[in-house]
Amino acid sequence: SPPSEWQVPSISPHAKPYFAFPFQEAEIVKDKQLRMNPCLLFEDDLFAVVYKPAGWTCGMSRMDGGTLSQIDPQNLPTEEDRDQFLQDLTFRSESACIKTWICLFMGYDEASEAVRDPQAEFGLCHRLDVGTSGPMLIGKTTESYEYAKQQIRDRDVVKDYLALVHGRLPKPRGVCNDPIDRSRYDESRKVRVHSSGQPACTIWEVVAEYESTDAHRSPYTLVHLRLITGRTHQIRVHMAHMGHPLMSDWQYVDDREMLRRDDLLCKRIFLHKFRLSFMDMEGFPVNVSSPLRMDPVLWSTLENMRLVGGMALSGCA
């Protein structure tokens, strides 16, 4: 059975509106540009929080635009060449690697040794799927990187997401504690809910209910999710297991017709990390938000649907 601390919390006011205007305006993608540029949401001497748009991978293979295949992190290019490298990443037909961007954007500061170190993942403390947007925590020094990684291992980092899922949830909020097995991931690139898996906990609450404006009037629900654990594809497989797969999730939606209708509404999986909170090395909390408007594709998807229910209808979100 799950630990007692994995229980559903009582409802309380939200720390940040989901639909707020962002601190930094979303970038307009230029002609032939295949992805938005990342941007800096927070920075001090030890940590940074970078917004990762969809289309950027955390992998390191050559096809991912991995740093080691593009540049020498210990012998960085001139600033003029760096700008060209950064621009080229947004036009790559393959996915681009966020670690390349981190190294080129922050690696020129001598004190930020972790962002030049492949063994320290170039300072990247956690991962997001290539199709997921949202803030990512960077440890700029070896000490701050290890400090942040320990917080993640201790489950002290707050990770809040928004997802648009199929159907209507049976109650306003709940928790999914089903274990997740990734033993077949290397073969299928999918995980599954199975008793042989690792413990996993996702807390969720309904934010808004929508329906498509076509003749089908397909129901969708915008859900706020908080990850207590950090398993591979945790939100995606938990929601699919509950019978509410994410919009445009081609890996976990088996209905081809459903996927076709999703694609008409949104060309990417509707999953966005909108809040990251951690403790700095002096013990002070740092809260960084990335409202849904940061992703123009997801925001326009909601604008083109009909809001029919949930707390957003009464202005609480």
Side-chain angles (χ1 to χ4, degrees):
S1 62
S4 58
E5 64 266 24
W6 288 11
Q7 302 307 308
V8 184
S10 59
I11 190 167
S12 61
H14 300 290
K16 184 77 174 179
Y18 307 110
F19 305 143
F21 287 94
F23 167 75
Q24 179 161 336
E25 289 296 324
E27 174 193 297
I28 302 300
V29 177
K30 301 174 183 177
D31 185 37
K32 297 183 180 180
Q33 188 177 351
L34 299 180
R35 59 188 60 82
M36 291 170 53
N37 276 307
C39 63
L40 197 61
L41 299 177
F42 167 85
E43 185 177 29
D44 62 16
D45 291 340
L46 298 174
F47 298 101
V49 176
V50 169
Y51 176 72
K52 184 193 86 68
W56 291 80
T57 180
C58 297
M60 284 298 299
S61 71
R62 182 175 293 274
M63 286 192 64
D64 292 330
T67 304
L68 296 183
S69 67
Q70 299 289 310
I71 59 173
D72 178 359
Q74 301 304 322
N75 186 24
L76 294 173
T78 65
E79 290 194 19
E80 290 183 0
D81 291 339
R82 177 194 66 173
D83 292 343
Q84 187 61 51
F85 267 113
L86 291 171
Q87 182 179 6
D88 290 346
L89 287 171
T90 65
F91 289 89
R92 288 175 56 88
S93 57
E94 305 93 351
S95 56
C97 183
I98 191 68
K99 294 176 185 176
T100 310
W101 188 93
I102 292 168
C103 188
L104 288 170
F105 193 81
M106 291 185 277
Y108 292 82
D109 179 3
E110 290 187 8
S112 302
E113 73 275 5
V115 302
R116 296 185 299 273
D117 184 2
Q119 300 303 313
E121 299 286 340
F122 297 92
L124 191 62
C125 299
H126 57 96
R127 295 189 169 211
L128 286 177
D129 291 343
V130 63
T132 304
S133 49
M136 303 194 74
L137 178 58
I138 313 298
K140 295 168 64 176
T141 69
T142 302
E143 184 181 10
S144 63
Y145 169 75
E146 293 296 341
Y147 182 85
K149 290 288 286 185
Q150 187 61 50
Q151 281 191 70
I152 292 171
R153 286 190 288 267
D154 292 340
R155 297 171 184 160
D156 290 334
V157 174
V158 175
K159 299 166 286 184
D160 286 340
Y161 293 76
L162 288 170
L164 193 64
V165 306
H166 284 273
R168 299 278 182 257
L169 278 296
K171 52 186 179 179
R173 64 196 62 87
V175 61
C176 183
N177 284 311
D178 295 309
I180 294 176
D181 172 35
R182 72 181 311 276
S183 61
R184 303 176 182 176
Y185 181 77
D186 290 340
E187 304 168 6
S188 64
R189 312 307 291 177
K190 293 174 64 175
V191 299
R192 60 174 181 159
V193 168
H194 194 270
S195 58
S196 64
Q198 294 178 299
C201 179
T202 305
I203 299 172
W204 58 267
E205 68 174 345
V206 172
V207 175
E209 294 175 341
Y210 292 87
E211 65 181 18
S212 61
T213 57
D214 59 13
H216 299 284
R217 300 182 66 176
S218 302
Y220 296 88
T221 302
L222 187 67
V223 186
H224 165 207
L225 306 109
R226 175 166 294 182
L227 294 185
I228 305 303
T229 53
R231 309 302 178 201
T232 302
H233 293 181
Q234 179 171 318
I235 289 173
R236 298 164 66 182
V237 72
H238 267 175
M239 295 310 296
H241 181 69
M242 291 168 56
H244 302 283
L246 273 62
M247 171 184 272
S248 297
D249 190 349
W250 60 271
Q251 285 181 291
Y252 293 97
V253 175
D254 296 325
D255 187 328
R256 297 296 101 178
E257 177 60 22
M258 180 183 288
L259 278 175
R260 187 190 68 80
R261 293 178 190 170
D262 282 356
D263 188 66
L264 295 175
L265 294 167
C266 186
K267 299 296 184 183
R268 53 157 287 205
I269 184 172
F270 200 117
L271 182 58
H272 176 76
K273 186 176 185 179
F274 78 92
R275 181 162 52 218
L276 172 73
S277 301
F278 65 99
M279 303 293 287
D280 69 17
M281 295 184 70
E282 295 182 351
F284 292 101
V286 179
N287 180 67
V288 182
S289 295
S290 171
L292 198 57
R293 293 175 190 261
M294 286 287 291
D295 189 290
V297 173
L298 300 187
W299 183 248
S300 65
T301 298
L302 291 187
E303 288 189 313
N304 291 322
M305 301 179 73
R306 185 180 295 113
L307 176 64
V308 296
M311 67 174 76
L313 192 61
S314 57
C316 296

